[in-house]
């Protein structure tokens, strides 16, 4: 009788142990399985990271598709300073596209032909149709007093699905321009532009610093609104400033800016820049 009870107790203990072992194995299996499915999800969606220091994995590159928009064009010459803006945007865009074309990690998309005009919607459409994974609109600034100087760029606003990636790219552009010798406007060269209804049928352009807390549905630049990938509009320098124009709008200056933008793009995607 006693021996039978002992045997039963031993059986109960063994059964309990077996249940525990099974539970642990099942838990491990679940962890491994969910880990695998997270990795598979990340590969399928391309979303390896949110904003941070790690490079974004976007789309299926390399090659990564980068759209380059030379601001203005055709009848629209842009600002007239020491240099004419459209000449500066085209020289910079051409040099940047040339660098991207020499790098097997990239496919460059030209949003408009040199010397020709293009609507804002047309520029965004060119990028979207080509499946662009990053969009850069190139501009230069002007100030009537001649006193303003420095680099600034505008990411997509918090209302955009690609706001965080756009902001990350904007910060990289500003950091690389600073390293190239540019002063940064505002807090750190990254700002937001809004067109706010002025109440009488028109719009007023409002510039906000990066720390601005979004509480508006106002529209930003059309190319940033209409592009379906992370997009930034950059004002590389002031055409009304002697020092800025010499450093970042002359023939050599445009090449310097193109190289700087190229290196920011490489850091964004986590590729090694080509030498030269
Ligand atoms: Zn412009």
């Amino acid at each position: 009788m006693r021996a039978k009870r002992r045997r039963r107790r031993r059986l109960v203990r063994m059964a309990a142990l077996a249940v525990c072992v099974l539970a642990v194995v099942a838990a491990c299996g679940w962890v491994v399985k969910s880990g695998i499915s997270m990795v598979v999800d990340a590969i399928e969606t391309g979303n390896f990271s949110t904003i941070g220091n790690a490079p974004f994995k976007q789309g299926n590159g390399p090659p990564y598709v980068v759209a380059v928009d030379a601001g203005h064009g055709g009848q629209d010459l842009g600002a007239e300073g020491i240099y004419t803006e459209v000449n500066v945007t085209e020289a910079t865009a051409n040099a940047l596209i040339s660098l991207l074309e020499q790098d097997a990690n990239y496919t460059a998309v030209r949003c408009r032909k040199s010397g020709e005009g293009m609507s804002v919607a047309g520029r965004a459409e060119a990028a979207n149709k080509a499946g662009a994974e990053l969009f850069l609109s190139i501009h230069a600034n002007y100030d009537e007093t001649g006193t303003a100087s420095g680099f600034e760029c505008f990411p997509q606003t918090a209302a955009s699905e690609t706001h965080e990636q756009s902001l990350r790219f904007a910060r990289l552009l500003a950091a690389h321009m600073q390293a190239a010798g540019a002063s940064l406007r505002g807090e750190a060269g990254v700002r937001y532009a809004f067109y706010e209804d002025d109440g009488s049928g028109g719009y007023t352009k409002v510039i906000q610093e990066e720390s601005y807390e979004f509480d508006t549905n106002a529209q930003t630049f059309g190319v940033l609104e209409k592009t379906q990938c992370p997009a930034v509009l950059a004002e590389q320098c002031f055409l009304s400033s002697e020092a800025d124009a010499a450093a970042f709008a002359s023939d050599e200056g445009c090449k310097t800016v193109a190289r700087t933008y190229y290196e920011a793009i490489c850091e964004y995607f986590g590729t090694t820049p080509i030498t030269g």
Side-chain angles (χ1 to χ4, degrees):
M1 197 65 187
R2 253 185 218 155
K4 219 183 233 174
R5 204 176 290 156
R6 263 208 305 274
R7 205 162 46 235
R8 200 185 298 152
R9 261 195 232 126
R10 203 162 53 223
L11 273 172
V12 168
R13 270 205 303 272
M14 280 171 68
L17 190 70
V19 167
C20 287
V21 167
L22 276 174
V24 168
V25 167
C28 287
W30 180 81
V31 167
V32 169
K33 204 174 146 223
S34 62
I36 289 169
S37 73
M38 273 165 68
V39 170
V40 168
D41 282 352
I43 290 167
E44 282 174 357
T45 60
N47 290 328
F48 282 99
S49 168
T50 56
I51 194 157
N53 293 323
F56 278 90
K57 176 73 185 77
Q58 298 286 343
N60 301 311
Y64 300 103
V65 182
V66 178
V68 179
D69 171 37
H72 308 279
Q75 301 292 309
D76 173 13
L77 304 179
E80 285 281 3
I82 295 160
Y83 296 97
T84 301
E85 186 179 355
V86 71
N87 295 337
V88 172
T89 68
E90 288 189 357
T92 306
N94 289 341
L96 174 57
I97 288 167
S98 166
L99 284 166
L100 292 168
E101 284 175 343
Q102 290 168 57
D103 186 335
N105 287 312
Y106 296 98
T107 300
V109 176
R110 194 183 283 277
C111 293
R112 68 165 179 85
K113 285 183 187 160
S114 284
E116 293 184 7
M118 173 70 85
S119 67
V120 164
R123 293 164 201 257
E125 196 186 333
N128 294 340
K129 271 191 177 164
E133 292 157 88
L134 191 65
F135 177 97
L136 176 61
S137 187
I138 296 173
H139 286 258
N141 243 327
Y142 179 82
D143 154 62
E144 278 177 9
T145 69
T147 55
S149 65
F151 170 88
E152 64 187 0
C153 64
F154 300 88
Q156 289 158 321
T157 70
S160 164
E161 278 181 20
T162 47
H163 163 65
E164 287 198 351
Q165 295 96 316
S166 161
L167 174 57
R168 181 171 180 275
F169 180 45
R171 286 175 177 160
L172 287 171
L173 287 168
H176 281 260
M177 280 300 287
Q178 187 174 40
S183 59
L184 300 181
R185 292 174 60 73
E187 290 170 351
V190 176
R191 301 173 129 179
Y192 294 101
F194 294 101
Y195 290 100
E196 288 186 345
D197 196 333
D198 65 7
S200 56
Y203 289 90
T204 309
K205 186 167 138 188
V206 180
I207 303 291
Q208 298 283 4
E209 297 305 326
E210 193 183 327
S211 58
Y212 176 68
E213 286 185 25
F214 293 90
D215 60 357
T216 175
N217 292 318
Q219 300 277 300
T220 186
F221 295 118
V223 281
L224 302 184
E225 293 282 350
K226 292 178 168 61
T227 309
Q228 291 161 356
C229 65
V232 172
L233 185 148
E235 301 272 8
Q236 66 201 52
C237 68
F238 272 79
L239 300 171
S240 41
S241 153
E242 296 269 358
D244 259 24
F248 302 114
S250 61
D251 285 352
E252 268 316 297
C254 291
K255 284 183 192 150
T256 300
V257 173
R259 176 80 204 179
T260 306
Y261 288 173
Y262 165 70
E263 286 174 1
I265 291 167
C266 290
E267 189 172 343
Y268 177 86
F269 285 108
T271 67
T272 305
I274 54 168
T275 52

